Amino acid sequence: HLVKNRGVPNHIAHILQFLKRKNILQKALWPSPPLEPPLEIDTFLDKYTSFMSNVRGWSESYQAGAKKAVKEFLDWNFPSFSEHVLSHVNGKMIMEYFASNATINLHKVGHIRVFCQYLHGKGYCQMIPSLIFPSRKRYKLESPPKAISADSVQKILASCDRDYPDGMRDYAALMALASLGLRVQEVANLCIADIDWRLARIKIRKTKVGRERVLSLPEQLGQALADYILYGRPNSNLPQIFLRHRAPGGVFTPKSLHSMVSRLAKRADVQLPTGGCNVFRHSLATAMVNRGVSIKIISDLLDHRSIDTTAIYTMVDFSSMKKVILPLPGGEK
């Protein structure tokens, strides 16, 4: 019966873990498996991802992807791993790995490139030439980012049922995405201590570009956050603002935010041009460009490293223009 009901075994496991943490279950009823010493490669990868997380602000999901890609690379080259073998990493070894690995993609290539930079910086090996790593040729300003109209954004916001705690959370999280153009990881990392209510400011913790910034807190977003914290947020010692409202609780993760956006867009009958939460970021930047806001101001708000990245929002969307362009007089057929 339990197997047929998906999710029930997970709920039971979480309940048992909770009882164990509260010392309600007797230890005799909960035998602990014998602990095995961690492998040297796992210890090294934990040290590597921890260092990069502190230096470059890697998210947990990015750490997991990097660790998996690097572990596959090390396992293929060094079946018996120890830190001293890292001195043998060179360009020929990397090229042979790329050539023999049918599942290699640009994400894995990027992870291995960053890993080699780390090895060189720590003195494990010589510098690897950048030409070793294949890359997709990208043309700057090749197409404008996908965005939705302000009316569509309001429809999705209106689909949040703020009579319930989880609806208050969804509305506040959407407001953070739509009004400040935050990245999904930045919204998930927001903490109560990051908000300066007196000065109407909010601190955005470092994520993609590895730096923090302080933004003005819009009144509507501040009100949504205050309502959720005071009347909707579960009682928890966690520092993050947005929490899960279902068992086992915990932090509202980026994956949960993506699922929430898809669910609310479907409820509002809004077709998103692209998956994920970045559509609100693109929509905000596009709307600001249409209002004549300075590119420098938009770049600072979106936390772009280069103003060239922001300049893509100034492009003309020719596919959309075809729908509204008027024909030449006398040219109708």
Side-chain angles (χ1 to χ4, degrees), residues 32 36 73 131 160 196 238 305:
S32 300
E36 297 182 0
F73 170 73
L131 294 175
C160 300
D196 188 334
L238 292 172
R305 286 184 175 179

Side-chain angles (χ1 to χ4, degrees), residues 300-318:
D300 291 341
L301 176 64
L302 300 183
D303 195 30
H304 287 157
R305 286 184 175 179
S306 172
I307 200 170
D308 293 337
T309 305
T310 316
I312 193 172
Y313 293 101
T314 63
M315 290 189 59
V316 176
D317 189 350
F318 291 102

Side-chain angles (χ1 to χ4, degrees), residues 6 17 33-34 47 60 88 110 173 178 183 217 226 263 278 317 327:
R6 296 178 60 186
Q17 291 174 6
K47 181 176 68 173
E60 293 183 2
H88 301 299
R183 302 179 179 93
L217 181 65
R263 170 171 49 83
N278 275 349
D317 189 350

Side-chain angles (χ1 to χ4, degrees), residues 32 60 64 72 97 125 188 219 234 242 251 299 305 322 325 330:
S32 300
E60 293 183 2
E72 290 176 356
Y97 174 71
C125 67
E219 182 179 356
F242 301 112
V251 178
S299 179
R305 286 184 175 179
K322 291 178 182 179
I325 193 169

Side-chain angles (χ1 to χ4, degrees), residues 196-227:
D196 188 334
W197 300 101
R198 294 183 180 274
L199 298 179
R201 295 177 180 175
I202 183 169
K203 181 176 73 173
I204 309 302
R205 297 174 180 269
K206 61 182 181 180
T207 52
K208 184 177 180 180
V209 297
R211 61 190 176 201
E212 296 181 348
R213 65 190 191 279
V214 177
L215 302 176
S216 297
L217 181 65
E219 182 179 356
Q220 193 174 1
L221 172 59
Q223 186 62 53
L225 291 172
D227 289 342

